[in-house]
Amino acid sequence: MNGREQWSGRLGFILATLGSAVGLGNIWRFSYVAGENGGGAFLLVYIGAVLAVGLPLLLAELAMGRAAQGDVTRAFAHPAPRNPLRHVGLLAVAGSILILSYYSVIAGWTLRYLATYAGDLAAGRPAADAAADFAGFIADPLAPLAWHVAFMLLTILVTAGGIRRGIESANRVIMPLLGLTVIGLAAYALSLPGAGAGVAFLLMPDWSALGEPRVYLAALGQAFFSLGLAMGVLATYGGYLARGHRLPGAAVAITFGDVLFALVAGLAIFPAVFAFGMAPEQGPALAFVVLPEVFARMPAGVLFGFAFFALLALAALTSAISLLEVAVAWAMGLGLRRRTAVAGVGTLVLLLGIPSALSFGVLADVTLDGRGLLDAIDHMVSDYLLPIAGFGIAVIAGWLWRRDEALAEVELGPRLGRLWRLAVRYLAPAVIALILLRSLGLA
Ligand code: PHE
């Protein structure tokens, strides 16, 4: 396709895709999901899910995108243009918009905390009482909405700049910064007295948790969410990669980078939580209530808080850009100009995020399945939408793609290629189906 935008090269592509993978999922979500599901035991199941299901599907999605050199609907239709399963592409477009709508709300919270810590830092004030502060903030009818809008405007601004000048440039600056910040935070947290209990919680498996089906569902959902699988981000970003850049090394770098980032973030969070005698199982509020309480008590806590929320906000930004780009690339494929597409999809996401932004305030009484709106949407997405779309992608890549073509596109060579094909053809669909059916009580 002539005139389509492209990454400047392999490094720019890897940084942008890693930027998509590394986000709130690695820090905010990973920490509380691991906390709720048994810490070390969860980690073990999680790594298993990433290697057996995540990595093969990640490579499949990237390869379909690059082969199609187009948006996600073209990528998932590439192996079998007439098969009805190709509509998984549209599901991904809708899904990425839905995810971004609440993702941006949480990212807005991080901006608000960043601003608060910046103010405290400048004024030399200690941090305020965390629990009351958070409760007041999210119950406010306006503040969470305003920060959601602010965050979306940032996302829109970067995405409007295009693949190279917007998305790639932002990632080239932000990704190295994130790496340094998270390592610095972990080093400091590990030096606190009593940090060892947090390390043990993260790394020592409690085998009894392995008997619980929900731990597997949580691990699979987290693997999909954190790698940014099945929502077309990888297919879309792959679609901007010129042929001739090898994929397998990139896929491994992205996968390991993502897991490593969550681990190091865990080594920043849990030691700090345990050092101050707090409980790790706090749900979505962990990063916003428990951690600020920890920051309020620790030496140089305001600085630590500022760095932590800067990390969270920037990580969220590089992921949000990728989610927006899925629908933007799709709209551009229909003939819209980038600016028009970004403005249109951006506005839609802004509006869709309103219920989530109000879900702890005006809409606090609205619950689904016993959860607040935002929490319920997040669970619906990671527990059902992502695995179901992932199942579709596995079938497309493993069953509908001609064997020789698929193997040529993933570039693994005959031996590893066979292994990859076994994974997407049998292992991934079987694991996903089993976990979904069990969690629905059907198996
Ligand atoms: N992977 C991102 C994170 O961990 C979120 C994301 C989900 C990005 C789905 C793209 C697609 O925060």
Side-chain angles (χ1 to χ4, degrees), residues 372-412:
L373 266 182
L374 188 151
D375 199 12
I377 301 177
D378 180 46
H379 267 85
M380 213 177 72
V381 163
S382 73
D383 292 355
Y384 302 107
L385 181 64
L386 295 178
I388 289 170
F391 186 87
I393 294 170
V395 174
I396 294 174
W399 294 87
L400 304 182
W401 213 355
R402 272 205 5 232
R403 184 172 189 279
D404 49 340
E405 257 180 51
L407 291 183
E409 289 291 348
V410 298
E411 301 172 324
L412 281 170

Side-chain angles (χ1 to χ4, degrees), residues 20-26 99 103 225-228 231 233 319 322-323:
S20 163
V22 170
L24 295 174
N26 301 60
I99 293 183
Y103 198 84
F225 189 90
S226 187
L227 291 172
M231 285 296 105
V233 167
S319 299
S322 72
L323 283 164

